[in-house]
């Protein structure tokens, strides 16, 4: 087989309007890179960090591993590829690379150990087979519906049709001049609110709720997303920053995460936790939607459990917090920050403020 015409496709849709990222890339001395796919399992560990490229297949020729290595390096850039390999090492995994061919619906899977050492791992003979493998290493099923987007690449649509989407991306990780990872950065586009009014904990604690045609309430939350981000932070030991921006605003908000305390949806004796989960989400919704009244906070703190993650040797362990929960002990469900700054109408100050926060120490 010969694999040719390596090119990038992505499901990311907001990078081209992200003025905050563009400024940091252009004017800071740090490197900002992303990872196209990050898979985590139900033991709260990153199991696979993946890049990807679409390729053409030529049955009349053969590609050597050296030729494939050269094509990957040419596509990524040698220094950028080295940074991604170093970032994967923070999680004790190799950088994986999926080359996919739409015409054959085959995936050719590699491990990239260095810019000069690429190892072939496996060929998947259908996109469904590859989707099944992603599901197997994930070990849990998402109940959240897939985001409908007609302009997704065919590869992404095929994986979703097979029941398992391409893993979520890592928005941005930051490396110093030696290509050493120093932090993770999450960009948040506040286009549907305002930067100044954007609050992660409102979404985390189920502020949004809707009713179905039968009148049943469905609570919407970001718990799974922030659990995933906390796994990234805890497992790697890297600092974690959030930069909130909006396309039409000069405001921005910089935050550094201290820890994230998640709601603990315990299992009941018959292993059906949905009633407990709904009661928990209803209590969080009341607390946020009613303006965080003390009475609602007390009810939430007195009747439910939370958990946080710690790294112990090479394991990620779950520590359950029993009631009464409190903000002071960081046991109340919440994202907790070391620093939080709102800057009004001053895009030009972003680079220096970000450098000051990044180099100021934890």
């Amino acid at each position: 087989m010969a694999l040719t015409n390596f090119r990038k496709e992505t499901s990311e849709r907001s990078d081209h309007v992200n003025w905050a990222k563009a400024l940091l890339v252009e004017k800071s001395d740090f490197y900002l890179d992303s990872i196209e796919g990050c898979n985590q399992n139900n033991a709260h560990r990153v199991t696979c960090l993946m890049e990807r490229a679409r390729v053409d297949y030529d049955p009349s020729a053969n590609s050597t591993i050296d030729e494939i290595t050269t094509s990957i390096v040419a596509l990524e850039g040698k220094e950028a590829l080295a940074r991604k390999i170093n970032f994967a090492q923070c999680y004790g995994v190799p950088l994986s690379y999926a080359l996919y061919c739409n015409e054959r619906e085959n995936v050719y899977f590699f491990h990239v150990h260095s810019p000069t050492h690429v190892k072939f791992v496996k060929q998947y003979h259908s996109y469904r087979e590859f989707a099944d493998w992603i599901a197997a290493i994930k070990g849990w099923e998402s109940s959240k519906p897939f985001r409908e987007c007609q302009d997704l690449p065919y590869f992404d649509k095929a994986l979703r049709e097979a029941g398992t989407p391409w893993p979520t991306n890592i928005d941005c990780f930051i490396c110093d001049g030696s290509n050493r990872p120093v932090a993770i950065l999450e960009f948040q586009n506040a286009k549907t609110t305002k930067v100044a009014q954007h609050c992660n904990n409102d979404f985390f604690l189920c502020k949004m709720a809707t009713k179905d045609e039968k009148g049943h309430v469905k609570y919407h939350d970001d718990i799974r997303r922030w659990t995933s981000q906390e796994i990234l932070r805890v497992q790697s030991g890297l600092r974690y920053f959030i930069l909130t921006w909006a396309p039409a605003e000069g405001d921005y908000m910089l935050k550094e995460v201290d820890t994230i305390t998640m709601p603990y949806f315990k299992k009941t004796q018959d292993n059906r936790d949905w009633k407990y989960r709904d009661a928990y989400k209803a209590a969080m919704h009341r607390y946020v939607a009613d303006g965080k009244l003390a009475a609602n906070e007390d009810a939430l703190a007195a009747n439910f459990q939370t958990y946080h993650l710690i790294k112990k040797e090479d394991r990620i362990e779950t520590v359950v917090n029993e009631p009464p929960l409190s903000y002071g002990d960081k046991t109340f469900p919440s994202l907790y920050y070391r620093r939080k700054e709102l800057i009004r109408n001053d895009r030009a100050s972003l680079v220096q403020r970000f450098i000051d926060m990044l180099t100021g120490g934890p």
Side-chain angles (χ1 to χ4, degrees), residues 16-45:
H16 68 287
V17 295
N18 188 340
W19 61 263
K21 187 173 185 178
L23 275 176
L24 293 176
V25 169
E26 178 186 358
K27 296 186 176 181
S28 80
D29 292 329
F30 292 93
Y31 294 106
L32 279 68
D33 295 283
S34 60
I35 295 285
E36 190 70 24
C38 173
N39 197 87
Q40 299 173 344
N41 65 11
N42 55 7
H44 299 311
R45 290 192 66 87

PDB file of all heavy atoms in Angstrom, residues 16-45:
ATOM      1  N   HIS A  16     -10.882  30.007  13.954  1.00  0.00           N
ATOM      2  CA  HIS A  16     -10.583  31.064  12.991  1.00  0.00           C
ATOM      3  C   HIS A  16     -11.061  32.433  13.454  1.00  0.00           C
ATOM      4  O   HIS A  16     -10.616  33.455  12.898  1.00  0.00           O
ATOM      5  CB  HIS A  16     -11.212  30.726  11.634  1.00  0.00           C
ATOM      6  CG  HIS A  16     -12.706  30.767  11.624  1.00  0.00           C
ATOM      7  ND1 HIS A  16     -13.479  29.798  12.224  1.00  0.00           N
ATOM      8  CD2 HIS A  16     -13.570  31.670  11.095  1.00  0.00           C
ATOM      9  CE1 HIS A  16     -14.750  30.100  12.052  1.00  0.00           C
ATOM     10  NE2 HIS A  16     -14.844  31.223  11.383  1.00  0.00           N
ATOM     11  N   VAL A  17     -11.949  32.515  14.453  1.00  0.00           N
ATOM     12  CA  VAL A  17     -12.402  33.810  14.956  1.00  0.00           C
ATOM     13  C   VAL A  17     -11.867  34.100  16.354  1.00  0.00           C
ATOM     14  O   VAL A  17     -12.260  35.077  16.977  1.00  0.00           O
ATOM     15  CB  VAL A  17     -13.954  33.896  14.961  1.00  0.00           C
ATOM     16  CG1 VAL A  17     -14.496  33.839  13.549  1.00  0.00           C
ATOM     17  CG2 VAL A  17     -14.563  32.794  15.821  1.00  0.00           C
ATOM     18  N   ASN A  18     -10.962  33.260  16.857  1.00  0.00           N
ATOM     19  CA  ASN A  18     -10.468  33.393  18.219  1.00  0.00           C
ATOM     20  C   ASN A  18      -9.331  34.418  18.269  1.00  0.00           C
ATOM     21  O   ASN A  18      -8.160  34.087  18.111  1.00  0.00           O
ATOM     22  CB  ASN A  18      -9.994  32.020  18.734  1.00  0.00           C
ATOM     23  CG  ASN A  18      -9.646  32.044  20.216  1.00  0.00           C
ATOM     24  OD1 ASN A  18      -9.400  33.082  20.799  1.00  0.00           O
ATOM     25  ND2 ASN A  18      -9.626  30.863  20.812  1.00  0.00           N
ATOM     26  N   TRP A  19      -9.694  35.683  18.488  1.00  0.00           N
ATOM     27  CA  TRP A  19      -8.696  36.748  18.508  1.00  0.00           C
ATOM     28  C   TRP A  19      -7.730  36.582  19.684  1.00  0.00           C
ATOM     29  O   TRP A  19      -6.544  36.962  19.584  1.00  0.00           O
ATOM     30  CB  TRP A  19      -9.362  38.121  18.567  1.00  0.00           C
ATOM     31  CG  TRP A  19     -10.214  38.377  19.782  1.00  0.00           C
ATOM     32  CD1 TRP A  19     -11.565  38.248  19.889  1.00  0.00           C
ATOM     33  CD2 TRP A  19      -9.760  38.812  21.066  1.00  0.00           C
ATOM     34  NE1 TRP A  19     -11.982  38.567  21.167  1.00  0.00           N
ATOM     35  CE2 TRP A  19     -10.897  38.919  21.907  1.00  0.00           C
ATOM     36  CE3 TRP A  19      -8.505  39.123  21.604  1.00  0.00           C
ATOM     37  CZ2 TRP A  19     -10.813  39.327  23.244  1.00  0.00           C
ATOM     38  CZ3 TRP A  19      -8.412  39.524  22.940  1.00  0.00           C
ATOM     39  CH2 TRP A  19      -9.562  39.630  23.738  1.00  0.00           C
ATOM     40  N   ALA A  20      -8.210  36.027  20.788  1.00  0.00           N
ATOM     41  CA  ALA A  20      -7.356  35.853  21.971  1.00  0.00           C
ATOM     42  C   ALA A  20      -6.217  34.866  21.678  1.00  0.00           C
ATOM     43  O   ALA A  20      -5.052  35.126  21.995  1.00  0.00           O
ATOM     44  CB  ALA A  20      -8.187  35.369  23.151  1.00  0.00           C
ATOM     45  N   LYS A  21      -6.555  33.757  21.058  1.00  0.00           N
ATOM     46  CA  LYS A  21      -5.528  32.773  20.708  1.00  0.00           C
ATOM     47  C   LYS A  21      -4.565  33.349  19.683  1.00  0.00           C
ATOM     48  O   LYS A  21      -3.338  33.143  19.777  1.00  0.00           O
ATOM     49  CB  LYS A  21      -6.184  31.498  20.183  1.00  0.00           C
ATOM     50  CG  LYS A  21      -5.205  30.364  19.949  1.00  0.00           C
ATOM     51  CD  LYS A  21      -5.934  29.077  19.592  1.00  0.00           C
ATOM     52  CE  LYS A  21      -4.978  27.902  19.485  1.00  0.00           C
ATOM     53  NZ  LYS A  21      -5.695  26.631  19.172  1.00  0.00           N
ATOM     54  N   ALA A  22      -5.098  34.068  18.706  1.00  0.00           N
ATOM     55  CA  ALA A  22      -4.241  34.653  17.677  1.00  0.00           C
ATOM     56  C   ALA A  22      -3.220  35.616  18.282  1.00  0.00           C
ATOM     57  O   ALA A  22      -2.043  35.630  17.882  1.00  0.00           O
ATOM     58  CB  ALA A  22      -5.098  35.377  16.632  1.00  0.00           C
ATOM     59  N   LEU A  23      -3.631  36.417  19.258  1.00  0.00           N
ATOM     60  CA  LEU A  23      -2.707  37.334  19.906  1.00  0.00           C
ATOM     61  C   LEU A  23      -1.608  36.589  20.658  1.00  0.00           C
ATOM     62  O   LEU A  23      -0.431  36.949  20.585  1.00  0.00           O
ATOM     63  CB  LEU A  23      -3.467  38.246  20.885  1.00  0.00           C
ATOM     64  CG  LEU A  23      -4.111  39.501  20.316  1.00  0.00           C
ATOM     65  CD1 LEU A  23      -4.897  40.222  21.407  1.00  0.00           C
ATOM     66  CD2 LEU A  23      -3.049  40.446  19.746  1.00  0.00           C
ATOM     67  N   LEU A  24      -1.988  35.556  21.407  1.00  0.00           N
ATOM     68  CA  LEU A  24      -0.990  34.807  22.174  1.00  0.00           C
ATOM     69  C   LEU A  24      -0.014  34.091  21.269  1.00  0.00           C
ATOM     70  O   LEU A  24       1.184  34.011  21.559  1.00  0.00           O
ATOM     71  CB  LEU A  24      -1.695  33.813  23.105  1.00  0.00           C
ATOM     72  CG  LEU A  24      -2.519  34.415  24.233  1.00  0.00           C
ATOM     73  CD1 LEU A  24      -3.233  33.320  25.016  1.00  0.00           C
ATOM     74  CD2 LEU A  24      -1.640  35.241  25.176  1.00  0.00           C
ATOM     75  N   VAL A  25      -0.511  33.555  20.162  1.00  0.00           N
ATOM     76  CA  VAL A  25       0.372  32.870  19.212  1.00  0.00           C
ATOM     77  C   VAL A  25       1.354  33.851  18.596  1.00  0.00           C
ATOM     78  O   VAL A  25       2.549  33.571  18.455  1.00  0.00           O
ATOM     79  CB  VAL A  25      -0.462  32.164  18.119  1.00  0.00           C
ATOM     80  CG1 VAL A  25       0.439  31.685  16.985  1.00  0.00           C
ATOM     81  CG2 VAL A  25      -1.227  30.990  18.708  1.00  0.00           C
ATOM     82  N   GLU A  26       0.857  35.041  18.252  1.00  0.00           N
ATOM     83  CA  GLU A  26       1.686  36.007  17.536  1.00  0.00           C
ATOM     84  C   GLU A  26       2.688  36.708  18.439  1.00  0.00           C
ATOM     85  O   GLU A  26       3.856  36.921  18.043  1.00  0.00           O
ATOM     86  CB  GLU A  26       0.785  37.057  16.872  1.00  0.00           C
ATOM     87  CG  GLU A  26       1.555  38.147  16.132  1.00  0.00           C
ATOM     88  CD  GLU A  26       0.656  39.262  15.612  1.00  0.00           C
ATOM     89  OE1 GLU A  26      -0.580  39.173  15.804  1.00  0.00           O
ATOM     90  OE2 GLU A  26       1.192  40.224  15.026  1.00  0.00           O
ATOM     91  N   LYS A  27       2.299  37.024  19.675  1.00  0.00           N
ATOM     92  CA  LYS A  27       3.093  37.972  20.453  1.00  0.00           C
ATOM     93  C   LYS A  27       3.693  37.415  21.745  1.00  0.00           C
ATOM     94  O   LYS A  27       4.434  38.130  22.422  1.00  0.00           O
ATOM     95  CB  LYS A  27       2.251  39.203  20.769  1.00  0.00           C
ATOM     96  CG  LYS A  27       1.829  39.979  19.523  1.00  0.00           C
ATOM     97  CD  LYS A  27       1.128  41.272  19.857  1.00  0.00           C
ATOM     98  CE  LYS A  27       0.803  42.066  18.592  1.00  0.00           C
ATOM     99  NZ  LYS A  27       0.142  43.352  18.888  1.00  0.00           N
ATOM    100  N   SER A  28       3.385  36.192  22.110  1.00  0.00           N
ATOM    101  CA  SER A  28       4.040  35.631  23.298  1.00  0.00           C
ATOM    102  C   SER A  28       5.188  34.740  22.862  1.00  0.00           C
ATOM    103  O   SER A  28       5.275  34.324  21.706  1.00  0.00           O
ATOM    104  CB  SER A  28       3.042  34.821  24.140  1.00  0.00           C
ATOM    105  OG  SER A  28       2.856  33.535  23.600  1.00  0.00           O
ATOM    106  N   ASP A  29       6.085  34.453  23.797  1.00  0.00           N
ATOM    107  CA  ASP A  29       7.235  33.590  23.499  1.00  0.00           C
ATOM    108  C   ASP A  29       6.933  32.129  23.789  1.00  0.00           C
ATOM    109  O   ASP A  29       7.836  31.289  23.717  1.00  0.00           O
ATOM    110  CB  ASP A  29       8.448  34.033  24.319  1.00  0.00           C
ATOM    111  CG  ASP A  29       8.973  35.399  23.881  1.00  0.00           C
ATOM    112  OD1 ASP A  29       8.841  35.708  22.682  1.00  0.00           O
ATOM    113  OD2 ASP A  29       9.488  36.137  24.735  1.00  0.00           O
ATOM    114  N   PHE A  30       5.684  31.825  24.123  1.00  0.00           N
ATOM    115  CA  PHE A  30       5.297  30.450  24.386  1.00  0.00           C
ATOM    116  C   PHE A  30       4.674  29.831  23.135  1.00  0.00           C
ATOM    117  O   PHE A  30       4.165  30.535  22.264  1.00  0.00           O
ATOM    118  CB  PHE A  30       4.295  30.388  25.545  1.00  0.00           C
ATOM    119  CG  PHE A  30       4.902  30.762  26.871  1.00  0.00           C
ATOM    120  CD1 PHE A  30       4.835  32.063  27.337  1.00  0.00           C
ATOM    121  CD2 PHE A  30       5.544  29.815  27.638  1.00  0.00           C
ATOM    122  CE1 PHE A  30       5.393  32.421  28.551  1.00  0.00           C
ATOM    123  CE2 PHE A  30       6.108  30.150  28.859  1.00  0.00           C
ATOM    124  CZ  PHE A  30       6.034  31.458  29.318  1.00  0.00           C
ATOM    125  N   TYR A  31       4.733  28.534  23.075  1.00  0.00           N
ATOM    126  CA  TYR A  31       4.118  27.798  21.972  1.00  0.00           C
ATOM    127  C   TYR A  31       2.739  27.310  22.403  1.00  0.00           C
ATOM    128  O   TYR A  31       2.575  26.753  23.492  1.00  0.00           O
ATOM    129  CB  TYR A  31       4.977  26.598  21.573  1.00  0.00           C
ATOM    130  CG  TYR A  31       6.313  26.981  20.992  1.00  0.00           C
ATOM    131  CD1 TYR A  31       7.473  26.823  21.742  1.00  0.00           C
ATOM    132  CD2 TYR A  31       6.427  27.485  19.699  1.00  0.00           C
ATOM    133  CE1 TYR A  31       8.716  27.167  21.218  1.00  0.00           C
ATOM    134  CE2 TYR A  31       7.655  27.835  19.164  1.00  0.00           C
ATOM    135  CZ  TYR A  31       8.798  27.672  19.935  1.00  0.00           C
ATOM    136  OH  TYR A  31      10.022  28.010  19.417  1.00  0.00           O
ATOM    137  N   LEU A  32       1.748  27.525  21.558  1.00  0.00           N
ATOM    138  CA  LEU A  32       0.393  27.060  21.805  1.00  0.00           C
ATOM    139  C   LEU A  32       0.046  26.003  20.770  1.00  0.00           C
ATOM    140  O   LEU A  32       0.040  26.267  19.564  1.00  0.00           O
ATOM    141  CB  LEU A  32      -0.610  28.214  21.718  1.00  0.00           C
ATOM    142  CG  LEU A  32      -0.757  29.119  22.949  1.00  0.00           C
ATOM    143  CD1 LEU A  32       0.499  29.953  23.186  1.00  0.00           C
ATOM    144  CD2 LEU A  32      -1.966  30.035  22.793  1.00  0.00           C
ATOM    145  N   ASP A  33      -0.220  24.788  21.226  1.00  0.00           N
ATOM    146  CA  ASP A  33      -0.567  23.683  20.345  1.00  0.00           C
ATOM    147  C   ASP A  33      -1.841  23.018  20.850  1.00  0.00           C
ATOM    148  O   ASP A  33      -2.229  23.173  22.014  1.00  0.00           O
ATOM    149  CB  ASP A  33       0.563  22.648  20.304  1.00  0.00           C
ATOM    150  CG  ASP A  33       1.840  23.191  19.694  1.00  0.00           C
ATOM    151  OD1 ASP A  33       1.897  23.306  18.456  1.00  0.00           O
ATOM    152  OD2 ASP A  33       2.781  23.501  20.451  1.00  0.00           O
ATOM    153  N   SER A  34      -2.464  22.256  19.980  1.00  0.00           N
ATOM    154  CA  SER A  34      -3.660  21.499  20.362  1.00  0.00           C
ATOM    155  C   SER A  34      -3.438  20.031  20.034  1.00  0.00           C
ATOM    156  O   SER A  34      -2.528  19.679  19.284  1.00  0.00           O
ATOM    157  CB  SER A  34      -4.900  22.026  19.636  1.00  0.00           C
ATOM    158  OG  SER A  34      -4.721  21.909  18.236  1.00  0.00           O
ATOM    159  N   ILE A  35      -4.276  19.200  20.618  1.00  0.00           N
ATOM    160  CA  ILE A  35      -4.291  17.772  20.308  1.00  0.00           C
ATOM    161  C   ILE A  35      -5.684  17.442  19.781  1.00  0.00           C
ATOM    162  O   ILE A  35      -6.693  17.755  20.417  1.00  0.00           O
ATOM    163  CB  ILE A  35      -3.982  16.908  21.543  1.00  0.00           C
ATOM    164  CG1 ILE A  35      -2.556  17.158  22.035  1.00  0.00           C
ATOM    165  CG2 ILE A  35      -4.201  15.425  21.239  1.00  0.00           C
ATOM    166  CD1 ILE A  35      -1.477  16.529  21.201  1.00  0.00           C
ATOM    167  N   GLU A  36      -5.750  16.813  18.641  1.00  0.00           N
ATOM    168  CA  GLU A  36      -7.035  16.608  17.977  1.00  0.00           C
ATOM    169  C   GLU A  36      -7.940  15.628  18.714  1.00  0.00           C
ATOM    170  O   GLU A  36      -9.160  15.755  18.685  1.00  0.00           O
ATOM    171  CB  GLU A  36      -6.799  16.129  16.542  1.00  0.00           C
ATOM    172  CG  GLU A  36      -8.041  16.106  15.684  1.00  0.00           C
ATOM    173  CD  GLU A  36      -8.572  17.482  15.338  1.00  0.00           C
ATOM    174  OE1 GLU A  36      -7.784  18.447  15.352  1.00  0.00           O
ATOM    175  OE2 GLU A  36      -9.770  17.595  15.051  1.00  0.00           O
ATOM    176  N   GLY A  37      -7.368  14.636  19.408  1.00  0.00           N
ATOM    177  CA  GLY A  37      -8.209  13.651  20.088  1.00  0.00           C
ATOM    178  C   GLY A  37      -7.616  13.199  21.404  1.00  0.00           C
ATOM    179  O   GLY A  37      -6.428  12.874  21.483  1.00  0.00           O
ATOM    180  N   CYS A  38      -8.430  13.210  22.451  1.00  0.00           N
ATOM    181  CA  CYS A  38      -8.008  12.747  23.778  1.00  0.00           C
ATOM    182  C   CYS A  38      -9.040  11.766  24.302  1.00  0.00           C
ATOM    183  O   CYS A  38     -10.203  12.109  24.486  1.00  0.00           O
ATOM    184  CB  CYS A  38      -7.868  13.925  24.740  1.00  0.00           C
ATOM    185  SG  CYS A  38      -7.535  13.429  26.448  1.00  0.00           S
ATOM    186  N   ASN A  39      -8.609  10.541  24.556  1.00  0.00           N
ATOM    187  CA  ASN A  39      -9.521   9.520  25.073  1.00  0.00           C
ATOM    188  C   ASN A  39      -9.234   9.266  26.547  1.00  0.00           C
ATOM    189  O   ASN A  39      -8.078   9.153  26.968  1.00  0.00           O
ATOM    190  CB  ASN A  39      -9.344   8.201  24.292  1.00  0.00           C
ATOM    191  CG  ASN A  39     -10.528   7.280  24.500  1.00  0.00           C
ATOM    192  OD1 ASN A  39     -11.516   7.359  23.795  1.00  0.00           O
ATOM    193  ND2 ASN A  39     -10.442   6.407  25.499  1.00  0.00           N
ATOM    194  N   GLN A  40     -10.294   9.192  27.351  1.00  0.00           N
ATOM    195  CA  GLN A  40     -10.186   8.896  28.780  1.00  0.00           C
ATOM    196  C   GLN A  40     -11.074   7.712  29.115  1.00  0.00           C
ATOM    197  O   GLN A  40     -12.082   7.470  28.448  1.00  0.00           O
ATOM    198  CB  GLN A  40     -10.601  10.115  29.610  1.00  0.00           C
ATOM    199  CG  GLN A  40      -9.738  11.336  29.368  1.00  0.00           C
ATOM    200  CD  GLN A  40     -10.272  12.575  30.066  1.00  0.00           C
ATOM    201  OE1 GLN A  40     -11.421  12.627  30.495  1.00  0.00           O
ATOM    202  NE2 GLN A  40      -9.428  13.596  30.188  1.00  0.00           N
ATOM    203  N   ASN A  41     -10.706   6.988  30.176  1.00  0.00           N
ATOM    204  CA  ASN A  41     -11.500   5.819  30.551  1.00  0.00           C
ATOM    205  C   ASN A  41     -12.251   6.053  31.861  1.00  0.00           C
ATOM    206  O   ASN A  41     -12.161   7.124  32.472  1.00  0.00           O
ATOM    207  CB  ASN A  41     -10.624   4.561  30.621  1.00  0.00           C
ATOM    208  CG  ASN A  41      -9.575   4.630  31.721  1.00  0.00           C
ATOM    209  OD1 ASN A  41      -9.593   5.509  32.582  1.00  0.00           O
ATOM    210  ND2 ASN A  41      -8.634   3.694  31.693  1.00  0.00           N
ATOM    211  N   ASN A  42     -12.987   5.043  32.292  1.00  0.00           N
ATOM    212  CA  ASN A  42     -13.792   5.203  33.508  1.00  0.00           C
ATOM    213  C   ASN A  42     -12.976   5.060  34.786  1.00  0.00           C
ATOM    214  O   ASN A  42     -13.531   5.118  35.879  1.00  0.00           O
ATOM    215  CB  ASN A  42     -14.970   4.216  33.511  1.00  0.00           C
ATOM    216  CG  ASN A  42     -14.523   2.774  33.343  1.00  0.00           C
ATOM    217  OD1 ASN A  42     -13.323   2.473  33.353  1.00  0.00           O
ATOM    218  ND2 ASN A  42     -15.479   1.873  33.174  1.00  0.00           N
ATOM    219  N   ALA A  43     -11.658   4.886  34.656  1.00  0.00           N
ATOM    220  CA  ALA A  43     -10.764   4.932  35.808  1.00  0.00           C
ATOM    221  C   ALA A  43     -10.123   6.313  35.938  1.00  0.00           C
ATOM    222  O   ALA A  43      -9.138   6.482  36.658  1.00  0.00           O
ATOM    223  CB  ALA A  43      -9.678   3.858  35.686  1.00  0.00           C
ATOM    224  N   HIS A  44     -10.686   7.289  35.227  1.00  0.00           N
ATOM    225  CA  HIS A  44     -10.224   8.684  35.284  1.00  0.00           C
ATOM    226  C   HIS A  44      -8.784   8.826  34.808  1.00  0.00           C
ATOM    227  O   HIS A  44      -7.988   9.544  35.425  1.00  0.00           O
ATOM    228  CB  HIS A  44     -10.367   9.248  36.703  1.00  0.00           C
ATOM    229  CG  HIS A  44     -11.775   9.282  37.216  1.00  0.00           C
ATOM    230  ND1 HIS A  44     -12.818   9.808  36.495  1.00  0.00           N
ATOM    231  CD2 HIS A  44     -12.315   8.846  38.389  1.00  0.00           C
ATOM    232  CE1 HIS A  44     -13.935   9.708  37.196  1.00  0.00           C
ATOM    233  NE2 HIS A  44     -13.657   9.119  38.333  1.00  0.00           N
ATOM    234  N   ARG A  45      -8.463   8.162  33.712  1.00  0.00           N
ATOM    235  CA  ARG A  45      -7.120   8.270  33.151  1.00  0.00           C
ATOM    236  C   ARG A  45      -7.191   8.562  31.657  1.00  0.00           C
ATOM    237  O   ARG A  45      -8.095   8.084  30.960  1.00  0.00           O
ATOM    238  CB  ARG A  45      -6.320   6.976  33.357  1.00  0.00           C
ATOM    239  CG  ARG A  45      -5.925   6.701  34.798  1.00  0.00           C
ATOM    240  CD  ARG A  45      -4.899   5.583  34.855  1.00  0.00           C
ATOM    241  NE  ARG A  45      -3.638   5.996  34.239  1.00  0.00           N
ATOM    242  CZ  ARG A  45      -2.669   6.625  34.881  1.00  0.00           C
ATOM    243  NH1 ARG A  45      -2.815   6.931  36.161  1.00  0.00           N
ATOM    244  NH2 ARG A  45      -1.549   6.954  34.265  1.00  0.00           N
TER     245      ARG A  45
END
